[in-house]
Amino acid sequence: TITIRLEDLTGTCSVEATFQITYTTAIAGVVPDLTICDQDNTGGEDVDLNVLFDLIVLNGQTPSDFTITYHISQLDADTDVGALVSPYTVIAPSVQIFVRLESNLDPTCFDTSQNFTIFVDGPPTINVPMPLVVCDIDNDGFADFDLTLADLDITGGDPDLSVTYHGTLLDAQNGILPLASPYTNDTVYNDSVWARVESIRSEEHTSELQSH
């Protein structure tokens, strides 16, 4: 708050008034690049930019104090035109997104210094594995299976792929409840498990593996 005093040259007559200086800031948080999987191999994926990135951009600031928009170029972000609509379809192989964080108290206060890239990758190529077969020494219908013996068959030796095994297709799709290896079949003489294959970019694909 600033106080003004205006007086005549004699100093005997004066008047005072006040005004306020309001300081606003808009500093966007650093948004990391993102890799998503084109699971259906259509060449693009829909991304909800606001859900995925708004909190990162705010970096602890009050959401109601700012408007966040995403743009396809630095010029669009600087001039506040062509804001992308969410969900936005990201086309492979990648799209660079520019962020505009604008103060709702003062639209002339904004930050457009941040940008990030969304990469779109296809799911890993995997092979349908051969069934695992072991000798049932005691003929009770149960045996221990080293599931990792199917890794090479499934991945083709790709070092960028990792494999986990699951008791149901749903578990494999959700990446939960991986089976320990060696695994004892729970159906007499025959059983099935599902392999989940992930790349280093967290893409995933599933395949059925039979054991006998």
Side-chain angles (χ1 to χ4, degrees), residues 9-37:
L9 294 179
T10 66
T12 58
C13 186
S14 66
V15 65
E16 294 180 351
T18 61
F19 68 93
Q20 291 185 328
I21 297 176
T22 302
Y23 177 71
T24 59
T25 60
I27 302 175
V30 177
V31 182
D33 294 340
L34 175 69
T35 298
I36 58 177
C37 181

Side-chain angles (χ1 to χ4, degrees), residues 21-138:
I21 297 176
T22 302
Y23 177 71
T24 59
T25 60
I27 302 175
V30 177
V31 182
D33 294 340
L34 175 69
T35 298
I36 58 177
C37 181
D38 181 15
Q39 196 63 45
D40 54 7
N41 275 319
T42 59
E45 282 292 311
D46 290 341
V47 176
D48 194 319
L49 300 172
N50 300 107
V51 169
L52 288 178
F53 303 112
D54 278 8
L55 289 180
I56 301 174
V57 173
L58 287 167
N59 195 28
Q61 300 174 95
T62 304
S64 59
D65 290 345
F66 299 92
T67 296
I68 301 172
T69 51
Y70 300 91
H71 304 261
I72 205 64
S73 73
Q74 185 68 61
L75 181 61
D76 285 357
D78 291 340
T79 56
D80 194 18
V81 299
L84 301 177
V85 178
S86 286
Y88 172 71
T89 302
V90 179
I91 303 300
S94 65
V95 173
Q96 188 174 18
I97 305 294
F98 297 82
V99 181
R100 180 184 177 93
L101 176 70
E102 180 181 301
S103 170
N104 291 333
L105 296 175
D106 180 7
T108 65
C109 182
F110 60 87
D111 182 11
T112 58
S113 63
Q114 299 300 320
N115 64 81
F116 59 93
T117 301
I118 301 177
F119 298 92
V120 181
D121 286 335
T125 300
I126 64 172
N127 303 311
V128 178
M130 295 294 293
L132 294 178
V133 180
V134 298
C135 181
D136 183 9
I137 298 175
D138 56 7

Side-chain angles (χ1 to χ4, degrees), residues 181-195:
S181 186
Y183 164 74
T184 303
N185 57 299
D186 52 21
T187 301
V188 178
Y189 293 114
N190 197 350
D191 200 355
S192 294
V193 298
W194 281 260

Side-chain angles (χ1 to χ4, degrees), residues 113-182:
S113 63
Q114 299 300 320
N115 64 81
F116 59 93
T117 301
I118 301 177
F119 298 92
V120 181
D121 286 335
T125 300
I126 64 172
N127 303 311
V128 178
M130 295 294 293
L132 294 178
V133 180
V134 298
C135 181
D136 183 9
I137 298 175
D138 56 7
N139 200 31
D140 66 349
F142 298 95
D144 292 338
F145 291 84
D146 182 357
L147 299 178
T148 63
L149 293 177
D151 288 2
L152 183 61
D153 197 7
I154 293 172
T155 65
D158 189 337
D160 291 331
L161 300 180
S162 64
V163 185
T164 56
Y165 298 91
H166 304 262
T168 67
L169 175 59
L170 186 61
D171 287 352
Q173 290 172 334
N174 293 325
I176 61 174
L177 302 177
L179 299 174
S181 186

